[in-house]
Amino acid sequence: MDLVVDIADFQVSADPRADLVTYSLGSCVGVSIWDPEAKVGGMIHYMLPESAISPEKAKLNPAMFGDTGIPALFRAAYQLGAIKKRLIVKVAGGSSLLDDNGTFNIGKRNYILLRKIFWKNGILIDSEDVGGAVSRTMRLCIGSGRVSIKSRNREVEL
Amino acid sequence: MTRMDEILDRVAAIQPLPDTVMKLMNVINDPKSTIEDIIEVIRYDQAVTTQMLRICNSAYFAVSREIDSLNDAIRMLGTMKILQLVMAVHSNSLLANRQSGYGLEPGILWKHSVGVAITATWFAEKIHYANANLAFTAGLLHDVGKTILNEYVGKDFAEIVRRVNEDNLSFCEAEHAVLGFSHEEIGAKVAEKWQVPEHITRCIRHHHDPRPLTPPDPLVDAVYLANCVCLLLGIGLGADGLSYRADHEIMERYGLRESDLEIAGTQMMLELKRVMQMYAAPGQPQEPMLVTG
C-alpha cells in the first residue's frame, strides 16, 4: 500500500505493509528515516530551507520548510516508538536548473540547511542521491527499510 | 517537407482551441474589456457554466445558499477567478495527454501548466505588468508544444533524454539536435495556426530563453520565471527533469532576489493545492482530473 507524501508534507508509519513514496523531487529535498527495531519509518518532502521568509505559512505547513519540517518529522517518528540513535537516514533531491551563475540555487541551499541541522543534532546520513538536474521519486518500504530512488526511468537502491 | 511541417499538417486535424477560449483570450487581451464582455463570452458555454456553478457550490467556498446563476457566480468569484476557471476547464482537455510517450504521466502537464499560470500571474503583478490576467493564460498555454510532441514524436523521446544525459545538453538543445526544432517552436507555430493572440504566442516561443527579445517583454519574462520556479519545486516534472538553462539576467532586470522566487513558490503551492482539490474527482484524490461538463 502506497502512502503518498505530497510536496510540503511528511508522513510516518509503523505499518509493515506500507510504502512511503514521494514524487517529483526537484530542488526540494526528501528525507527518509527508519528504525529497524521499531519498524517505524517516516518521510518528508520539503520545498525551501528556511521558514523565516514566511513564518505564518510555516505555522500552517511546517513541512514546507526544512528548518520546521525536519524536526517535526523526527518528533512524529519518536511518537510511534522510533529512537534517534537507531534511525537510518537517507536523503534525495536538491537538484538545480542548468545554471552557471548559481542564481537559482534553492536545491543547494535546501541541502546545506539539512547538513547544518543534522550536524547540530549529531545525525549521520547513511546514503544520499542529491544534486544534478534530474527529477527523483523516493520510496521507503516500512517493512524492510529498503529505500529506492527512481529518476529518468532508472530505479536504484539507496 | 520538414519534420515540423509534417507534424503541423497533422495537427491541423486535431481539435483546435475551443471557441470560448479564443474569444476569451481576445477579451482579456483588450484592456477596455468589462465584466459584461466576459459574461457575454462564457454564458453560452455549457461546460464552463456547469463547472463554475459546481465550484461555487463546493466545500471550497462554503456558501450558505445555493448559487444557481452565472451572474451570482461571477460576482462571487471575481473576474480573475473566472478567467482562470474558463482557461482551466478548456485547457485540461487540451493538456490532459492520454499517452505518456513524451515522458509525461497523464495529468502532469496540466498540473505544471496551472502552476506556471498561477506563478506567472504573481510575477506579472510583482513587476507591475499592466495585464496580469494575460500572464495566467500565457502560463497555461506555454507548454502546448509538449502536448503536440507527446502525440507525434513520442518514440524520439528516449534519444532526446540520452542526449541530455550524455552530451550535457539542455532539453531544448537536445530536442533541436534530435528533431530539428524544440517544443517551444512547434508550440508557437501551432498557436499561430490557432490564431492565439501574439502576446501569448511569444511567451510560448521564448519561455525557456527570453534573452533574444529586444526590447525585453515583461510578459515573457514573467512566464519564464514562473516556469523556473515550478521546475525547481518539481511541479509536474516529466522525464526532462530540470534540464533547462537558468538565466540570472532576467532576475536582475527587475531587481528580483532569490527570496522573491521562494515567496512566489510558497504562494503558488498553496493556490495550486486549492485548485487541485477543487478539481479532484471523488475517489481520485491523487490524480486530479477535471470533469468537463
Side-chain angles (χ1 to χ4, degrees):
Chain A
M1 175 189 49
D2 281 0
L3 296 174
V4 176
V5 181
D6 216 344
I7 179 168
D9 191 14
F10 73 80
Q11 298 231 20
V12 289
S13 173
D15 180 349
R17 291 160 305 174
D19 272 13
L20 297 182
V21 56
T22 198
Y23 299 101
S24 238
L25 284 163
S27 65
C28 300
V29 166
V31 180
S32 99
I33 58 178
W34 187 67
D35 179 332
E37 270 180 50
K39 297 270 194 287
V40 164
M43 186 184 286
I44 186 171
H45 179 152
Y46 68 88
M47 284 168 58
L48 297 170
E50 281 165 286
S51 55
I53 65 151
S54 184
E56 70 282 4
K57 285 199 189 84
K59 221 172 250 174
L60 292 169
N61 304 276
M64 195 175 248
F65 304 96
D67 64 349
T68 45
I70 294 168
L73 168 72
F74 278 75
R75 276 198 300 272
Y78 298 156
Q79 286 201 334
L80 289 183
I83 289 178
K84 181 173 154 184
K85 65 174 193 321
R86 293 199 300 240
L87 285 173
I88 296 169
V89 178
K90 300 187 178 185
V91 177
S95 289
S96 303
L97 294 163
L98 307 175
D99 181 6
D100 300 332
N101 293 288
T103 319
F104 299 77
N105 60 2
I106 293 175
K108 198 181 275 176
R109 291 184 29 244
N110 269 335
Y111 180 68
I112 291 170
L113 179 276
L114 175 96
R115 295 300 296 248
K116 213 159 81 182
I117 291 180
F118 283 179
W119 183 78
K120 271 192 197 157
N121 290 282
I123 291 163
L124 296 173
I125 296 174
D126 183 72
S127 58
E128 62 183 23
D129 178 17
V130 295
V134 297
S135 165
R136 296 175 171 91
T137 293
M138 186 183 210
R139 178 180 288 273
L140 163 67
C141 170
I142 300 291
S144 65
R146 204 175 149 257
V147 173
S148 64
I149 304 296
K150 196 173 165 191
S151 71
R152 287 204 172 119
N153 299 324
R154 273 201 311 266
E155 191 160 4
V156 291
E157 198 160 329
L158 194 62
Chain B
M1 199 184 220
T2 67
R3 182 99 190 263
M4 178 143 78
D5 290 334
E6 260 172 53
I7 293 170
L8 285 170
D9 259 19
R10 286 157 70 192
V11 168
I14 74 168
Q15 189 193 355
L17 282 179
D19 199 34
T20 314
V21 174
M22 291 308 303
K23 286 192 181 131
L24 193 70
M25 272 195 290
N26 289 317
V27 171
I28 302 168
N29 215 5
D30 180 357
K32 292 194 295 288
S33 296
T34 62
I35 296 186
E36 283 68 33
D37 296 326
I38 294 168
I39 295 178
E40 194 53 30
V41 170
I42 56 180
R43 66 195 306 175
Y44 305 108
D45 185 316
Q46 196 199 8
V48 168
T49 305
T50 313
Q51 190 70 9
M52 201 176 319
L53 296 177
R54 193 176 78 88
I55 285 171
C56 284
N57 289 305
S58 73
Y60 174 45
F61 287 102
V63 281
S64 52
R65 66 190 176 86
E66 196 178 340
I67 301 290
D68 54 9
S69 80
L70 200 54
N71 284 340
D72 281 348
I74 288 170
R75 267 206 299 277
M76 191 172 128
L77 295 172
T79 339
M80 184 66 190
K81 280 274 176 292
I82 298 295
L83 295 174
Q84 297 183 2
L85 185 65
V86 172
M87 297 310 298
V89 165
H90 284 303
S91 69
N92 188 52
S93 57
L94 183 74
L95 297 171
N97 52 297
R98 290 161 298 283
Q99 302 155 322
S100 57
Y102 213 57
L104 295 162
E105 299 297 324
I108 285 285
L109 190 59
W110 186 66
K111 186 177 180 185
H112 173 72
S113 303
V114 173
V116 173
I118 293 167
T119 321
T121 311
W122 188 91
F123 277 113
E125 282 166 358
K126 178 83 185 168
I127 65 179
H128 307 294
Y129 181 71
N131 194 346
N133 288 339
L134 209 54
F136 189 90
T137 312
L140 210 47
L141 294 179
H142 77 284
D143 261 347
V144 71
K146 280 195 182 168
T147 326
I148 309 296
L149 294 182
N150 189 52
E151 299 262 339
Y152 295 100
V153 297
K155 62 180 165 41
D156 295 291
F157 186 72
E159 175 63 9
I160 295 172
V161 171
R162 193 189 68 77
R163 298 294 292 263
V164 168
N165 285 330
E166 291 174 20
D167 303 347
N168 224 3
L169 299 178
S170 80
F171 194 76
C172 297
E173 290 157 2
E175 282 181 322
H176 256 285
V178 175
L179 303 171
F181 57 87
S182 71
H183 70 278
E184 295 176 299
E185 291 169 76
I186 194 148
K189 290 272 187 206
V190 169
E192 273 169 10
K193 222 168 181 163
W194 288 342
Q195 294 176 304
V196 166
E198 199 205 330
H199 280 86
I200 293 171
T201 308
R202 205 180 307 147
C203 294
I204 297 172
R205 180 170 284 124
H206 295 285
H207 69 266
H208 287 296
D209 186 15
R211 268 178 315 178
L213 292 171
T214 44
D217 181 336
L219 185 64
V220 178
D221 292 343
V223 172
Y224 168 79
L225 290 170
N227 194 41
C228 287
V229 167
C230 289
L231 290 172
L232 284 167
L233 298 182
I235 305 306
L237 288 183
D240 47 347
L242 287 79
S243 310
Y244 296 100
R245 303 225 176 263
D247 181 4
H248 67 292
E249 267 177 50
I250 313 297
M251 300 265 287
E252 284 161 12
R253 203 171 266 171
Y254 304 98
L256 295 170
R257 295 184 306 187
E258 186 148 359
S259 57
D260 293 310
L261 298 183
E262 294 190 5
I263 292 165
T266 59
Q267 295 282 106
M268 175 270 294
M269 190 56 67
L270 297 177
E271 183 66 22
L272 184 64
K273 280 194 177 180
R274 275 197 288 269
V275 173
M276 290 295 145
Q277 259 165 21
M278 224 156 56
Y279 289 125
Q284 286 181 293
Q286 297 307 336
E287 197 55 59
M289 292 301 289
L290 182 67
V291 185
T292 41

